[in-house]
Amino acid sequence: MKSNRTSATSIVSRVLLGLLTIMTGSWGIFALIFSEPHNDIVRSILATAFGVASLATLIALGFRRWHWQALAGYFALFSLLLIWWSNIKPSNERDWQIDVAMLPYATIEGDLITVHNIRNFDYRSETDYTPSYYDKRFDLSKLEAVDMVASYWMGPAIAHIFLSFSFADDNYLAISIETRKEKGEDYSSIRGFFRQYELIYVVADERDIIRLRTNYRENPPEDTYIYRISGSIENGRRLFLEYIHRINKLNAKPEFYNTLTTNCTTSIWLNTRVNQTHPPFNWRILASGYLPELLYERGKLKTDGLTFPELQQLSHINARAQAADDTVDFSRLIRAKDINLTPTTIP
């Protein structure tokens, strides 16, 4: 009986060690495939070699005589991989794509916050534009509301979420948490797990960051919605200030983007922790397309008694944005036929 229990324990242990080897081996292969600055051939050789080592370790688990030696060798190799990985550092000094080349920052004087390098490109198409930036001073005491923008391009489950802060006299400042890509670099969700992109808070005029999505994105087109967040105005002010601190921190010390832990929605959720009433985590924060419905269910959106489908329909702004185009009154016009978006703010 004791022998049977020992045998069963040994089998379970080997299965668990096998799963651990598969997970660490898969991670190591991808990390090496996407590693820099080596060329494609070097990356392929290193990834293949590590894959062979992982496979050999899995096979050795089936042999009592070899498996401990194989595991010791494999995890020594994996430890070297982790040491190499820990020495991959983010940088603010790369050959950036033009739309993320300029980092924003802010100077704070009490309630007066001057935001520098607010992006306001003049678009002729998604890829043809004239870069332009400006600085603007905002009075934190005059923050009136926070809006959530949700832009969809690949079905209902995935959306890019960002916030726009509304100040008195129709002054809006949009802040979008994104990947800072180098020239010639495309976005990949898988690459986003492996320190391939720096993190950037794009601070932009709504005529730039919203109009780009509603008027110029065609492949694929994007459907964009604006929802007003409900709650305490003081929470909104604390959240705005937290964003400003994060922007300044990234300007001084770069960080990596991560597809899971520092994407557009998880970063917003992490920032809301500055408020005691921040919402608890929910899987729909990861399936970002469902975030507006989640906030609706939790009473965090201004609804005026509408059902969520009704609210969603009224919040769709593509047609209004296309009609407004580059007018100075763009922000007011894209909200003109929405529900009564009176000043309220963040949860």
Side-chain angles (χ1 to χ4, degrees):
M1 189 73 174
K2 183 177 179 181
S3 175
N4 290 338
R5 282 200 299 269
T6 302
S7 177
T9 301
S10 176
I11 292 172
V12 171
S13 298
R14 292 189 192 194
V15 169
L16 292 176
L17 287 169
L19 291 174
L20 181 61
T21 303
I22 291 171
M23 289 188 292
T24 56
S26 299
W27 178 88
I29 290 169
F30 279 111
L32 289 164
I33 286 174
F34 297 134
S35 65
E36 294 181 357
H38 306 296
N39 60 37
D40 291 345
I41 295 175
V42 174
R43 290 200 300 268
S44 297
I45 291 172
L46 291 173
T48 301
F50 189 77
V52 170
S54 303
L55 181 60
T57 303
L58 282 173
I59 293 172
L61 287 174
F63 299 88
R64 181 174 299 178
R65 179 184 299 179
W66 299 336
H67 73 275
W68 288 120
Q69 294 93 326
L71 281 169
Y74 172 75
F75 283 106
L77 181 62
F78 185 72
S79 296
L80 291 175
L81 182 65
L82 289 179
I83 292 171
W84 160 78
W85 177 259
S86 67
N87 283 288
I88 300 176
K89 304 298 183 184
S91 173
N92 279 336
E93 305 299 326
R94 303 191 193 277
D95 189 13
W96 303 111
Q97 292 184 10
I98 295 173
D99 59 329
V100 290
M102 193 78 75
L103 278 178
Y105 67 99
T107 52
I108 304 172
E109 303 170 271
D111 279 348
L112 298 179
I113 300 172
T114 302
V115 182
H116 304 271
N117 299 333
I118 299 171
R119 200 180 74 187
N120 189 30
F121 284 15
D122 180 18
Y123 292 94
R124 291 171 290 276
S125 72
E126 181 180 357
T127 56
D128 181 19
Y129 44 75
T130 301
S132 179
Y133 296 86
Y134 64 86
D135 302 342
K136 190 169 183 177
R137 176 173 288 185
F138 297 88
D139 187 341
L140 188 60
S141 68
K142 295 183 179 180
L143 181 70
E144 294 183 339
V146 178
D147 292 333
M148 180 181 69
V149 182
S151 198
Y152 296 78
W153 69 95
M154 57 179 299
I158 302 297
H160 179 63
I161 307 292
F162 60 94
L163 301 182
S164 187
F165 295 86
S166 171
F167 292 82
D169 302 321
D170 287 327
N171 285 311
Y172 290 86
L173 186 68
I175 305 178
S176 173
I177 302 168
E178 302 181 11
T179 56
R180 195 179 188 196
K181 296 186 289 292
E182 299 173 60
K183 288 181 179 177
E185 194 172 40
D186 293 322
Y187 175 73
S188 161
S189 296
I190 295 176
R191 284 180 176 270
F193 286 104
F194 295 98
R195 298 188 173 183
Q196 290 299 293
Y197 311 108
E198 274 75 12
L199 181 69
I200 185 172
Y201 280 50
V202 175
V203 179
D205 194 296
E206 286 192 339
R207 286 172 297 180
D208 175 320
I209 203 164
I210 291 179
R211 190 161 63 101
L212 169 63
R213 289 167 166 78
T214 56
N215 294 29
Y216 295 103
R217 290 269 171 90
E218 296 179 351
N219 189 26
E222 296 189 20
D223 283 302
T224 303
Y225 302 78
I226 293 181
Y227 301 93
R228 175 129 305 168
I229 307 294
S230 66
S232 163
I233 191 65
E234 290 305 319
N235 284 353
R237 290 175 180 141
R238 278 190 292 269
L239 180 60
F240 180 77
L241 200 55
E242 181 69 10
Y243 264 68
I244 294 300
H245 290 321
R246 288 290 290 134
I247 287 165
N248 282 344
K249 184 177 179 181
L250 288 173
N251 186 281
K253 184 179 180 181
E255 297 177 18
F256 282 117
Y257 170 93
N258 184 279
T259 300
L260 182 64
T261 60
T262 53
N263 61 38
C264 65
T265 50
T266 53
S267 292
I268 292 174
W269 180 77
L270 289 170
N271 285 327
T272 63
R273 292 186 303 173
V274 72
N275 293 316
Q276 292 184 350
T277 57
H278 79 96
F281 191 79
N282 184 280
W283 65 269
R284 283 177 284 188
I285 293 173
L286 298 177
S288 52
Y290 301 120
L291 182 59
E293 187 172 10
L294 171 65
L295 294 183
Y296 175 90
E297 291 172 1
R298 290 180 173 175
K300 303 300 184 182
L301 298 183
K302 183 170 177 58
T303 67
D304 283 359
L306 298 173
T307 65
F308 182 72
E310 292 169 339
L311 177 64
Q312 187 178 45
Q313 183 178 6
L314 285 172
S315 300
H316 187 246
I317 63 165
N318 283 57
R320 297 195 291 277
Q322 290 160 13
D325 199 24
D326 63 350
T327 60
V328 175
D329 223 9
F330 178 84
S331 292
R332 186 187 64 81
L333 291 173
I334 62 175
R335 294 168 171 82
K337 292 185 179 180
D338 282 349
I339 60 173
N340 181 27
L341 298 180
T342 53
T344 52
T345 194
I346 205 77

